[in-house]
Amino acid sequence: VRAQAQGESEPSPLYYQHALRDIIGHCLYGVDINPMAAELCRVSLWLEAIEPGKPLSFLDHHIRVGNSLLGTTPALLAKGIPDEAFTPIESDDKEICSRFKRVNKEERTGHRRLFAATTEPWERLGDLATSMVHLDDAPDDSIEAVRNKERMYEAMVHSGNYLDGQFWADTWCAAFVWKKTQEFNHPITEEDFRRIEHNPHAVDPWMCNEIVRLSQQYRFFHWHLAFPDVFHVPMANQEVENNQTGW
């Protein structure tokens, strides 16, 4: 539009670079399990988005480290721990897997509401989408403004509701890769999962530590928590656009 107003056939390099920086800072998202790959991606985007007189854009909230293939969704969380979580994998004891598969099925069908939460779990996460939108809309045309965006992001991902939601989702994933052996023979079942849903702090320290360790080892990645402004989870009075995922 500016190019046409000035009688130019193409926008000037200055306008082009300004638009490119704006797009890179607001419209691109990426995930990689390798922290170095994520950092190299940020550096590459910074080099593309350099605009005279402007600092490097804040990209930590859009370029994330995680396993894009190993995570959960609101729809899966609502259904609880599935029987497939007890399919034996490498070094698992098949007898223990079979036994706890039966236990899990009994808990899911007969005692599911024992630790039922009073609200849907994603409602307790707070309005993450709004927080992310505010973060995106915050100015980044000075070093102090970029630092302010960094502080906003750190406050969001370290909030109690976000950490509780992250831990609950990590628990669901951990059930699949939990060691199911004689030496470590108490895997996560539906009852454990619903207890954590009801109160993330109502879990034995050894189980909490193992969930955190597995999360760090496998880098569980939950799209609706990482990018809530894109994979928006509707509230109780809103329609779900994608029934398969729940967002």
Side-chain angles (χ1 to χ4, degrees):
V1 174
R2 287 172 174 168
Q4 292 176 353
Q6 297 174 5
E8 301 174 5
S9 59
E10 295 182 359
S12 70
L14 182 62
Y15 288 137
Y16 176 84
Q17 199 61 31
H18 176 77
L20 186 61
R21 183 179 186 273
D22 197 34
I23 290 171
I24 287 177
H26 295 87
C27 304
L28 298 184
Y29 296 78
V31 184
D32 200 287
I33 195 171
N34 187 336
M36 181 60 70
E39 187 62 27
L40 289 174
C41 178
R42 295 189 191 103
V43 171
S44 177
L45 291 175
W46 281 328
L47 292 175
E48 289 288 336
I50 289 178
E51 184 179 359
K54 297 290 183 65
L56 300 177
S57 300
F58 180 71
L59 299 176
D60 287 9
H61 63 316
H62 280 188
I63 308 300
R64 302 287 298 271
V65 175
N67 189 335
S68 61
L69 300 179
L70 188 53
T72 188
T73 66
L76 291 174
L77 289 169
K79 294 177 182 177
I81 303 297
D83 295 339
E84 289 78 8
F86 299 91
T87 300
I89 56 178
E90 185 179 3
S91 76
D92 281 347
D93 187 310
K94 293 183 179 179
E95 181 180 346
I96 290 178
C97 288
S98 298
R99 173 155 55 91
F100 278 95
K101 184 177 182 178
R102 292 193 297 270
V103 170
N104 185 72
K105 182 178 292 186
E106 291 172 357
E107 291 177 354
R108 194 173 64 247
T109 57
H111 304 284
R112 178 171 179 174
R113 304 316 299 174
L114 183 60
F115 297 101
T118 56
T119 61
E120 294 293 348
W122 39 85
E123 290 184 6
R124 300 203 310 276
L125 294 178
D127 200 344
L128 296 180
T130 300
S131 297
M132 190 65 79
V133 169
H134 287 165
L135 176 61
D136 255 354
D137 289 344
D140 61 353
D141 53 359
S142 69
I143 294 178
E144 182 55 37
V146 171
R147 288 175 177 167
N148 182 57
K149 293 188 77 163
E150 182 178 3
R151 288 191 291 266
M152 292 172 63
Y153 179 64
E154 289 296 319
M156 189 190 81
V157 299
H158 288 96
S159 66
N161 285 338
Y162 183 92
L163 292 176
D164 289 348
Q166 179 81 27
F167 183 68
W168 189 50
D170 286 346
T171 300
W172 190 92
C173 292
F176 286 81
V177 295
W178 198 269
K179 293 183 292 186
K180 304 173 182 73
T181 64
Q182 291 292 344
E183 295 76 21
F184 206 79
N185 65 348
H186 185 79
I188 296 171
T189 62
E190 180 74 12
E191 185 172 348
D192 301 313
F193 180 70
R194 293 303 174 183
R195 182 184 294 111
I196 292 173
E197 174 192 9
H198 183 65
N199 180 4
H201 305 288
V203 56
D204 292 336
W206 69 270
M207 179 172 281
C208 176
N209 293 337
E210 182 64 8
I211 293 171
V212 172
R213 188 191 71 81
L214 290 172
S215 174
Q216 294 172 347
Q217 176 183 347
Y218 290 95
R219 298 188 184 278
F220 303 141
F221 188 82
H222 317 294
W223 294 85
H224 65 290
L225 292 176
F227 306 131
D229 52 329
V230 179
F231 303 96
H232 183 62
V233 181
M235 294 300 182
N237 60 343
Q238 296 177 318
E239 291 291 330
V240 175
E241 183 176 324
N242 188 322
N243 291 319
Q244 185 176 2
T245 61
W247 57 51

